[in-house]
Amino acid sequence: MSVTEDRPLDLFVVGGGINGAGIACDAAGRALTVGLCEMNDFASATSSKATKLIHGGLRYLETYEFRLVREALQEREVLLAKAPHLSWPLRFVLPYEPHLRPRWMLRLGLWLYDHLDWHMTLPKSIQVDLPRSKFGAGLKPSFQKGFVYSDAWVDDARLVISNLKSARAMGAAIYARHRCVSARRSDDGKLWHIDLEGPGGAPVHLRARALVNAAGPWVKHFLDEQTEIKTPKRVRLVKGSHIIVPKLYDGDHAFILQNSDNRIVFVIPYEREFSLIGTTDIAVQEGEHPVCSPEEIAYLCDLASRYMAKPVRPEDVVWTYSGVRPLFDDGDDNPSKVTRDYHLEVDGSPQGRAPILSVFGGKITTYRRLAEHALRDLEPYFPRMGGPWTDGRAVYDGEMADAPTFEEAFDRFVDGAAAIKPGLPKELVRILARRHGSGLDDLLENVKTVADLGRHFGGSLYEVEVRHLVRDEWAVDPEDVLWRRTKEGLHMTAEQREAFARWLAEQRLNFT
């Protein structure tokens, strides 16, 4: 869509993480004119650095956050249906250790977890004899008893891209790599004047009737510096680090491991050949660049090695990532106990000042519900906008045939796609389908054999997909492709990654 100073937008969103993308998508589907900017790559901060779980948060029951857990469990089912290519159910194994949490507490917690969402379709929790069960695979034989429950996994960065593509398809203007340098109300207070700085310093000036501050870790900084609106609300910045190691065990189950400091750590099957271990909870200051420290690596390796049959050593780590979670400051001194719930704050008045809605906290599982709540809070300023719509609609490229389970819907899609492309290995079709869903048809439109995919960079990354990511998904730098749009950097050697970076730099002018 064309955006000019003479045509104010209804809503402008600052922040290209999952919350900003979700709000932009929801608003565009309610017939509002929408714009969104992100100063870096989309999902380059918190929204690609999470543990990648769609979950209610079993441990949040210990802090009595029943409303948050129930809402998240309900959203788990919604998101599995909305994005069957990007998300799938997982069974989590909780080895029993009587000196950490008593059996009655675990049983009660899991019973609540199974029943807070009355419409849960995933398998309920069970108690298992680990040595006699497939769920014991990977554990030391000393662990005899355990519990198994359901949650789910999601490709967080691609979920952001899907929401942005949905918003764009409904008319939203998406400004990648544009920093909002200023947002000020007009003299009469009825519009926001927004100044962006694009690549190379190119200026963009926009106007909007409402502004959303979804800047994540920078939410308060944006208010203070770009808008000069002061708020007593604060965020607690908590670093969470993860390590990736070669696959520790066979099986598609995950583990939730208890530690003596009352924290829990997950071990999750990751990217076909690896295991993901995380996360830590460390308070950090604004502006601190999150890096997984040697101490965090040692902490995660030591805890995993206490449980897993295969020891985990720092030298086994093939990749790490760290993100800063912007948690709403509820006053708790323990970073692990700070609420994961979200808080929305509106500054404005329907009869006068144009509103700014700021998002404090939140988690990827509840992003869609957060967006609905944000639009509900802005409804007095847009009484003619449409109603909620996202709960029953698939994300962009998520439309697949109905099936008895979420997994079957995806498997049937892969079977059909592989039958149409017999010249491609089925495993490659499955990998590409995981990333692109029903958009696979367009991606492979002129492809019959592997040779038609163009240059092979390593792993399952080919030229046809890279060109698509640059043209249609705002990818610019090697990291955008290798670690966010795909995770193929894990499957490539250092030399292959360097060769890809050189190729991308040479080809950049040829992607128009």
Side-chain angles (χ1 to χ4, degrees):
M1 63 178 287
S2 175
V3 179
T4 69
E5 293 186 29
D6 296 329
R7 186 181 179 187
L9 295 163
D10 290 322
L11 187 69
F12 192 81
V13 180
V14 177
I18 189 60
N19 289 332
I23 291 171
C25 176
D26 194 339
R30 300 184 191 221
L32 298 182
T33 56
V34 177
L36 177 145
C37 74
E38 164 57 43
M39 63 181 178
N40 299 308
D41 183 30
F42 298 117
S44 59
T46 309
S47 294
S48 62
K49 306 294 176 59
T51 314
K52 309 181 192 305
L53 297 182
I54 305 174
H55 65 144
L58 183 60
R59 66 189 177 97
Y60 306 149
L61 293 175
E62 291 185 318
T63 52
Y64 310 111
E65 296 192 76
F66 300 116
R67 188 212 64 79
L68 171 64
V69 175
R70 183 171 187 268
E71 180 176 276
L73 290 172
Q74 291 171 334
E75 284 301 289
R76 183 182 64 186
E77 300 278 330
V78 173
L79 294 185
L80 284 169
K82 282 174 65 68
H85 61 309
L86 300 179
S87 60
W88 57 87
L90 278 178
R91 292 291 269 170
F92 282 78
V93 181
L94 172 60
Y96 173 57
E97 292 212 80
H99 65 285
L100 294 179
R101 288 174 176 87
R103 191 188 304 268
W104 69 263
M105 180 183 290
L106 297 176
R107 282 178 169 170
L108 175 60
L110 290 170
W111 186 89
L112 286 171
Y113 208 65
D114 287 340
H115 293 87
L116 280 173
D117 176 16
W118 303 328
H119 303 293
M120 174 179 173
T121 62
L122 300 182
K124 297 289 196 294
S125 60
I126 57 173
Q127 184 173 330
V128 293
D129 292 321
L130 292 170
R132 297 186 177 93
S133 168
K134 66 177 183 178
F135 295 114
L139 285 174
K140 290 180 176 178
S142 57
F143 293 98
Q144 297 292 306
K145 301 292 183 182
F147 300 89
V148 179
Y149 69 95
S150 293
D151 260 325
W153 189 93
V154 68
D155 188 326
D156 48 8
R158 291 215 59 84
L159 185 64
V160 173
I161 294 299
S162 287
N163 276 272
L164 291 170
K165 291 172 77 172
S166 293
R168 182 178 63 185
M170 292 182 287
I174 308 297
Y175 293 87
R177 289 177 165 79
H178 280 69
R179 178 173 176 265
C180 181
V181 296
S182 174
R184 300 285 190 271
R185 288 188 176 101
S186 58
D187 291 340
D188 62 6
K190 294 182 178 180
L191 288 175
W192 284 97
H193 288 264
I194 303 160
D195 291 312
L196 309 181
E197 183 179 84
V204 177
H205 178 77
L206 304 168
R207 294 186 301 163
R209 297 180 179 88
L211 185 64
V212 170
N213 170 15
W218 301 275
V219 58
K220 192 172 189 306
H221 183 272
F222 179 80
L223 286 173
D224 293 341
E225 302 296 326
Q226 274 71 38
T227 72
E228 296 184 350
I229 293 174
K230 305 301 179 184
T231 175
K233 302 294 189 301
R234 299 187 304 168
V235 291
R236 291 280 298 279
L237 302 181
V238 176
K239 180 178 70 167
S241 293
H242 302 75
I243 60 175
I244 309 296
V245 298
K247 186 166 65 171
L248 294 174
Y249 57 92
D250 293 326
D252 55 7
H253 54 282
F255 291 98
I256 176 172
L257 309 180
Q258 304 176 81
N259 198 18
S260 57
D261 60 6
N262 287 325
R263 293 204 66 257
I264 56 96
V265 165
F266 296 100
V267 179
I268 303 170
Y270 190 65
E271 279 294 309
R272 311 184 296 280
E273 301 169 16
F274 301 93
S275 295
L276 182 156
I277 306 173
T279 179
T280 57
D281 272 323
I282 298 176
V284 294
Q285 300 300 313
E286 185 177 312
E288 185 174 335
H289 181 65
V291 176
C292 185
S293 68
E295 293 77 15
E296 289 176 290
I297 292 175
Y299 174 88
L300 294 172
C301 288
D302 289 346
L303 179 56
S305 295
R306 275 182 39 215
Y307 286 87
M308 308 307 294
K310 184 177 182 180
V312 184
R313 303 164 300 177
E315 54 265 34
D316 297 327
V317 175
V318 298
W319 188 46
T320 70
Y321 66 89
S322 299
V324 174
R325 297 188 290 273
L327 308 179
F328 178 60
D329 191 350
D330 60 0
D332 200 304
D333 292 333
N334 186 340
S336 296
K337 293 185 177 179
V338 177
T339 181
R340 268 53 176 176
D341 210 345
Y342 56 83
H343 175 81
L344 307 178
E345 182 178 89
V346 178
D347 181 279
S349 61
Q351 291 75 36
R353 291 178 302 150
I356 175 172
L357 181 143
S358 296
V359 179
F360 294 84
K363 50 186 299 212
I364 193 167
T365 306
T366 53
Y367 89 90
R368 190 200 66 84
R369 191 74 68 90
L370 183 153
E372 281 191 345
H373 288 177
L375 271 296
R376 184 181 64 196
D377 288 351
L378 292 172
E379 189 174 7
Y381 303 88
F382 301 103
R384 296 183 180 178
M385 74 175 177
W389 62 277
T390 57
D391 61 338
R393 290 272 296 276
V395 300
Y396 198 91
D397 290 336
E399 306 87 352
M400 294 183 183
D402 290 336
T405 67
F406 306 116
E407 301 101 308
E408 286 184 61
F410 178 73
D411 289 341
R412 289 181 183 182
F413 174 79
V414 171
D415 289 342
I420 294 173
K421 301 290 181 179
L424 298 179
K426 187 172 182 179
E427 181 58 22
L428 177 60
V429 172
R430 174 176 288 273
I431 290 168
L432 294 175
R434 273 291 179 211
R435 294 202 274 264
H436 300 281
S438 56
L440 190 68
D441 294 341
D442 291 335
L443 178 71
L444 301 180
E445 182 179 6
N446 298 314
V447 172
K448 293 182 179 179
T449 68
V450 172
D452 297 328
L453 292 170
R455 179 168 174 171
H456 179 220
F457 299 105
S460 297
L461 188 65
Y462 291 84
E463 184 176 346
V464 161
E465 184 180 20
V466 175
R467 292 186 177 278
H468 166 80
L469 298 176
V470 173
R471 283 195 303 262
D472 296 341
E473 295 190 1
W474 305 281
V476 173
D477 296 328
E479 186 173 346
D480 306 344
V481 174
L482 298 181
W483 302 108
R484 283 188 286 276
R485 306 304 188 281
T486 80
K487 309 296 183 294
E488 291 301 324
L490 274 175
H491 304 275
M492 298 163 65
T493 66
E495 292 76 15
Q496 287 174 324
R497 293 193 293 266
E498 290 169 4
F500 171 73
R502 290 193 298 269
W503 179 88
L504 188 61
E506 294 166 359
Q507 293 290 317
R508 192 161 287 158
L509 297 178
N510 299 325
F511 281 112
T512 56

